Amino acid sequence: MQISRTTLIAPLALTIILTAQADVVDDYATGRSGEALKATLSRHCRPSVAIDSDIIAESLVMLQDKGGNPLDGLTGRPLHDLDFAAVTYIVPLEWMNPVPTFRKEASTDLNNMLLTDGATAIDRGQLPLGDSTDNIDCVTPPPSLKGDIARAVFYIATLYPCELWGSWGRSIFDNTAYPTLRKEWSEMYMRWHQDDPVDEQERRRDEMTRTLQGNSNPFVTHPDLADYLWGEKAGAVYKPSAKPDNPDSPDTPGGATPPGDIDETPTPLRECYDSSDTYVYLYSPYVPDNVSWTVDGTPASGRIEVASLSTGRHELRYSSPTAKGKLIITVRQ
Amino acid sequence: MKSRILLAVILLATVACNKSRPYDDVDPETLKPSGSEDTRPSYSFEGEIADDRCRFVSEQLSLHYDDAGIIFSSEKSAGTTIYRAIGLATGNSAELFMNETDEPRLLVNGTEIKIKSAVKEHENEKGAWIHIQTPDYKHIVFVVTDL
């Protein structure tokens, strides 16, 4: 395999899509929990471009946007000779074979791939990446890569929840829409995720991946999501953390001007509010910009203090020359 | 012996009579194999029109305005009216695109559902009562009113 950085740019330039991606996670996932939260991520965080299989290896080199030799994705050691490098799938495609609904899409998804030494790839075969147990032999990456791999597994479990898994996949995943990851494995990957948090290198890789295939790994841009799906907050309603985790993609919806403090990020409308919420923001990705709002028949704009609303149900309406809509929100103690 | 001859004559006469009656005057419906009758129950939309609460009701998905957190909306864009119902807590959604020239399109949870027809059974200043039928004769009710 001949891989040269200088030859990468030309073919890849045709496939690079530079899109300003609004923070779809906070826009759509806010207010959802469990299966609905996972389904939302699956719906809104998919790749928009299939990477040509001929340039996958080159793309993986590009993702390691750094000086010197690229690092082996399984061992963390420098890859001195790219001629002997190989592409390995974090979640092997063979595991998706019994019902290959997602196999084609997953086969070009850079978020599921690593560049590794050919010999290492052969040694690994289809073994799971994990901590070995009495029952299963695993390939265990160094601590500095464990979090990266855990977040990739979360991504696969979210975007490609197979109806039936083959090989070792049956031990790691179940055939449910949620949680999809079996408990002992989700606990292990959550430990990896917490012990090796997202670092600058992983963020850069994710940003480059988004440039190439049009999507980020939401568990890299919003690390707290994993906790809402498989961690201590599992089942709780997702609320974005106060500070966006990705400084390059601040959690401000496109076109909207946050009311009040300039650093304030409006959270989208949701079904229910309580005393832990300060404001109801009159904003939703499902509502066009520049509409006029009323709350219980009274004109309103920007945001409303939750404390100013009585406990119970409130009707919100919006209108513009071309759009009209309404919904009920509830306020609890 | 005479009685045997008489019986044979009667039988022959009976067969002859049957052969002489073609199927021209037989109701074709009675010739269909048993079980092929149209057994669909009759359906009336009248009861739906009497109810002015916003709702989307199909076999696959039900969204009711009275349940909090469901946005019901209508939007006009380039001659197309888009009716939407979206559950904020689940992301479940129904979107119906209707215009004068093209076939109506229905998307449920972002996936297009094949439909046979989408008819505004009733429309007034408050909204629209839409009756959608699928190719397998399922009925879907989409009411978007009082916006």
Side-chain angles (χ1 to χ4, degrees):
Chain A
M1 181 177 60
Q2 290 288 338
I3 302 171
S4 152
R5 283 178 198 283
T6 52
T7 59
L8 294 179
I9 308 302
L12 283 174
L14 296 173
T15 62
I16 287 175
I17 292 183
L18 295 168
T19 52
Q21 180 176 290
D23 196 327
V24 294
V25 173
D26 286 351
D27 261 7
Y28 292 97
T30 298
R32 294 178 189 165
S33 62
E35 186 176 336
L37 174 59
K38 189 163 168 284
T40 298
L41 298 176
S42 177
R43 194 177 301 157
H44 292 284
C45 300
R46 306 195 80 80
S48 55
V49 175
I51 302 293
D52 189 325
S53 57
D54 291 341
I55 58 166
I56 279 177
E58 288 86 346
S59 303
L60 289 170
V61 173
M62 237 185 139
L63 295 185
Q64 300 200 13
D65 181 27
K66 59 185 262 309
N69 291 322
L71 299 178
D72 185 311
L74 284 180
T75 66
R77 292 192 292 265
L79 285 167
H80 294 295
D81 192 345
L82 289 176
D83 284 347
F84 293 101
V87 174
T88 189
Y89 287 91
I90 295 170
V91 174
L93 300 177
E94 290 80 358
W95 297 2
M96 302 179 182
N97 251 349
V99 185
T101 311
F102 292 121
R103 194 174 189 273
K104 190 176 177 195
E105 190 178 349
S107 70
T108 61
D109 193 327
L110 297 174
N111 281 317
N112 188 32
M113 296 181 207
L114 295 172
L115 199 61
T116 188
D117 179 68
T120 308
I122 290 168
D123 286 348
R124 184 222 169 174
Q126 291 181 33
L127 286 177
L129 304 180
D131 294 324
S132 292
T133 67
D134 292 341
N135 300 323
I136 297 183
D137 273 339
C138 294
V139 170
T140 308
S144 63
L145 293 177
K146 283 184 171 180
D148 306 42
I149 285 166
R151 287 178 281 279
V153 174
F154 294 151
Y155 172 92
I156 294 299
T158 301
L159 266 71
Y160 308 112
C162 294
E163 294 163 17
L164 184 63
W165 293 88
S167 186
W168 293 109
R170 282 196 293 270
S171 304
I172 299 170
F173 303 98
D174 62 29
N175 61 356
T176 61
Y178 174 74
T180 310
L181 269 170
R182 294 186 189 278
K183 191 169 171 44
E184 58 272 31
W185 288 86
S186 65
E187 286 174 351
M188 183 202 70
Y189 287 128
M190 279 303 294
R191 277 199 306 277
W192 285 19
H193 170 59
Q194 285 154 355
D195 294 346
D196 174 29
V198 178
D199 57 23
E200 203 46 49
Q201 188 178 326
E202 189 178 359
R203 254 192 266 274
R204 278 204 306 272
R205 178 190 157 115
D206 184 71
E207 190 62 29
M208 184 59 79
T209 302
R210 186 161 70 85
T211 303
L212 293 172
Q213 64 178 34
N215 75 326
S216 280
N217 178 344
F219 300 100
V220 174
T221 56
H222 300 73
D224 51 343
L225 275 171
D227 204 23
Y228 282 90
L229 289 173
W230 296 289
E232 288 182 357
K233 292 181 183 167
V237 170
Y238 174 70
K239 292 180 187 177
S241 51
K243 229 177 169 184
D245 294 291
N246 184 354
D248 295 331
S249 182
D251 298 1
T252 304
T257 304
D261 188 340
I262 197 164
D263 291 332
E264 189 178 11
T265 303
T267 54
L269 281 168
R270 56 181 200 271
E271 175 186 344
C272 188
Y273 293 81
D274 59 31
S275 56
S276 68
D277 299 299
T278 310
Y279 299 109
V280 174
Y281 291 93
L282 299 174
Y283 163 75
S284 170
Y286 301 112
V287 175
D289 293 335
N290 305 320
V291 296
S292 302
W293 288 89
T294 65
V295 177
D296 297 329
T298 303
S301 63
R303 66 187 189 192
I304 308 152
E305 282 188 41
V306 173
S308 72
L309 297 170
S310 60
T311 302
R313 291 155 67 91
H314 298 271
E315 188 173 63
L316 278 58
R317 288 170 175 267
Y318 65 85
S319 65
S320 75
T322 57
K324 289 185 285 187
K326 63 178 182 177
L327 79 155
I328 290 170
I329 61 167
T330 57
V331 176
R332 294 180 182 151
Q333 287 291 350
Chain B
M1 186 65 173
K2 277 184 181 176
S3 62
R4 282 188 185 172
I5 292 170
L6 184 61
L7 182 62
V9 170
I10 292 170
L11 284 172
L12 282 171
T14 307
V15 171
C17 283
N18 280 343
K19 280 193 170 180
S20 68
R21 289 195 51 154
Y23 290 105
D24 297 350
D25 57 349
V26 176
D27 180 357
E29 285 296 311
T30 64
L31 298 178
K32 285 183 178 177
S34 169
S36 68
E37 299 85 1
D38 188 351
T39 53
R40 278 177 284 139
S42 60
Y43 179 82
S44 169
F45 201 78
E46 288 303 311
E48 304 295 347
I49 294 171
D51 183 350
D52 65 358
R53 290 173 296 184
C54 282
R55 61 198 180 277
F56 175 87
V57 182
S58 73
E59 216 173 54
Q60 185 183 352
L61 175 69
S62 286
L63 296 165
H64 296 266
Y65 180 69
D66 289 345
D67 300 332
I70 315 286
I71 296 180
F72 277 83
S73 69
S74 73
E75 187 176 341
K76 288 197 168 101
S77 174
T80 299
T81 302
I82 309 161
Y83 296 99
R84 289 195 180 93
I86 299 168
L88 294 182
T90 61
N92 289 337
S93 63
E95 296 172 278
L96 177 66
F97 298 75
M98 296 182 85
N99 69 25
E100 296 289 328
T101 52
D102 299 325
E103 294 294 315
R105 293 175 60 227
L106 175 67
L107 273 66
V108 174
N109 293 335
T111 302
E112 182 153 6
I113 304 294
K114 277 188 183 170
I115 60 174
K116 191 175 158 200
S117 64
V119 177
K120 284 183 188 171
E121 297 280 2
H122 185 61
E123 189 173 22
N124 62 18
E125 69 283 353
K126 292 187 87 176
W129 284 252
I130 302 161
H131 178 200
I132 301 164
Q133 275 203 80
T134 62
D136 54 350
Y137 300 102
K138 300 274 170 49
H139 300 276
I140 298 171
V141 179
F142 202 173
V143 179
V144 183
T145 60
D146 190 27
L147 296 182

